[in-house]
Amino acid sequence: MAEDREVLRYIWDGRLPVCFNLSSDEVVQVEQPDPYYLLVPRLSYLTLVTDKVQRHFQRAISSESVDEMWFEYDGQPLKWHYPIGVLFDLHGSSASLPWNLTVHFQRFPEDKIMRCPAKEAIEAVFMSAVKEADNLKHRSQVINSMQKKDHKQLWLGLSNDKFEQFWAVNRRLMERTGDDPYFKFIPFRILQSDSPFIQQLFRPVTESGELRTLGDLLNEFVPEAFTSGSGAIDNEWRVVIHGIEPPLETPAQWISEHFSHPDNFLYIVLVRVV
């Protein structure tokens, strides 16, 4: 891995101010409870802050009618298995800060989001993605060579916001193996509001050895976002990764190594400009 530590640290330290408000139709006390403010890591998951939010609103809700807690923004239930920063880029990037989320304890929308029965569920989803990403990059050679304690260290580093602890293991997943100086395929997901994510096979180099770029990746899988014949993104769209609009000429290999989320997938959000 051609490690640029400052970039990795910058991405890791990304924070998002969030204002949690209890849904007004679920309040059982006389007055609406005060909102709850948190500065949360963009790389983390809403599931990891639920305890704090639930404690804050505990007295204002009826314990008899409590279902699983879930979050909503602008009428959209939020998928807990997406990183917080991805959710914001996808649904709230045009909103002012802090990001105002509505907290629910009733009427869980099972037809729109899946349940999270325990915190172990998000760890399982996370590790499943890490393994899938390594299969794409290294045919699972790296993840299979690790011990269970290494897998646990990845999760604990992320969930406890410990950069050094996480990257002591994750750097092995970002290194190139064998004689191939590049990943076999780039683990990526392209997300657009109200659409299933796009995940396909994409090699970071051409057969002749030329580096392929972020623009090449997008042009291959979402050509409708490009101005015909120009190779440039149409003015109706923004390409956002970690709240940043990276240059389309950025090599796909480099951006995978440095801009991927802790689950080792590169989340590319396409936002339609209103």
Side-chain angles (χ1 to χ4, degrees), residues 22-256:
L22 181 60
S23 175
S24 58
D25 61 359
E26 298 181 23
V27 178
V28 296
Q29 63 185 29
V30 176
E31 297 180 354
Q32 178 80 13
D34 292 334
Y36 186 59
Y37 293 88
L38 276 178
L39 190 63
V40 299
R42 288 182 59 97
L43 297 180
S44 189
Y45 298 89
L46 286 170
T47 313
L48 299 180
V49 303
T50 53
D51 288 347
K52 294 178 180 179
V53 176
Q54 184 158 359
R55 281 196 299 268
H56 178 79
F57 292 119
Q58 195 70 53
R59 294 182 180 179
I61 60 177
S62 171
S63 58
E64 297 178 356
S65 59
V66 167
D67 195 351
E68 182 179 328
M69 182 165 55
W70 56 284
F71 302 92
E72 174 191 356
Y73 173 72
D74 196 25
Q76 177 71 47
L78 300 178
K79 297 178 179 179
W80 56 264
H81 56 286
Y82 283 2
I84 296 172
V86 172
L87 290 172
F88 178 75
D89 293 342
L90 187 61
H91 301 295
S93 58
S94 60
S96 58
L97 295 176
W99 193 26
N100 284 286
L101 300 185
T102 302
V103 182
H104 293 271
F105 292 90
Q106 300 175 11
R107 298 182 292 279
F108 191 93
E110 295 188 65
D111 58 330
K112 295 183 179 179
I113 56 176
M114 62 182 179
R115 288 185 176 273
C116 181
K119 284 191 175 179
E120 290 76 16
I122 186 62
E123 180 180 357
V125 168
F126 169 79
M127 283 308 307
S128 177
V130 172
K131 292 174 182 179
E132 182 181 357
D134 192 58
N135 183 43
L136 290 168
K137 289 185 291 186
H138 307 120
R139 300 185 180 89
S140 299
Q141 293 176 14
V142 178
I143 197 72
N144 287 343
S145 70
M146 291 181 176
Q147 300 178 16
K148 286 187 177 180
K149 66 177 183 178
D150 297 319
H151 298 178
K152 196 66 178 180
Q153 183 171 332
L154 279 173
W155 174 247
L156 291 176
L158 171 62
S159 58
N160 294 326
D161 195 23
K162 302 293 185 183
F163 176 83
E164 300 290 349
Q165 182 181 19
F166 176 82
W167 273 101
V169 176
N170 196 62
R171 67 184 310 273
R172 292 159 58 187
L173 292 164
M174 288 298 174
E175 290 173 343
R176 305 159 191 182
T177 59
D179 297 328
D180 192 346
Y182 305 105
F183 296 155
K184 182 171 178 58
F185 299 107
I186 300 294
F188 73 91
R189 289 168 179 165
I190 301 173
L191 298 97
Q192 303 174 60
S193 182
D194 300 322
S195 300
F197 67 75
I198 297 170
Q199 180 180 328
Q200 299 286 345
L201 297 180
F202 180 83
R203 287 190 56 80
V205 291
T206 64
E207 297 209 354
S208 60
E210 295 179 1
L211 285 173
R212 302 176 77 188
T213 66
L214 174 62
D216 293 331
L217 187 156
L218 291 168
N219 209 350
E220 181 167 338
F221 300 112
V222 281
E224 65 274 14
F226 285 75
T227 303
S228 179
S230 71
I233 287 286
D234 190 280
N235 290 335
E236 291 186 4
W237 296 95
R238 292 170 55 226
V239 177
V240 182
I241 307 176
H242 297 295
I244 302 166
E245 297 184 45
L248 295 186
E249 60 269 22
T250 306
Q253 175 75 32
W254 187 93
I255 206 165
S256 178

Side-chain angles (χ1 to χ4, degrees), residues 4-19:
D4 189 329
R5 190 176 180 82
E6 289 186 5
V7 174
L8 300 178
R9 188 81 214 204
Y10 179 83
I11 296 297
W12 185 273
D13 288 341
R15 296 293 185 266
L16 187 65
V18 181
C19 174

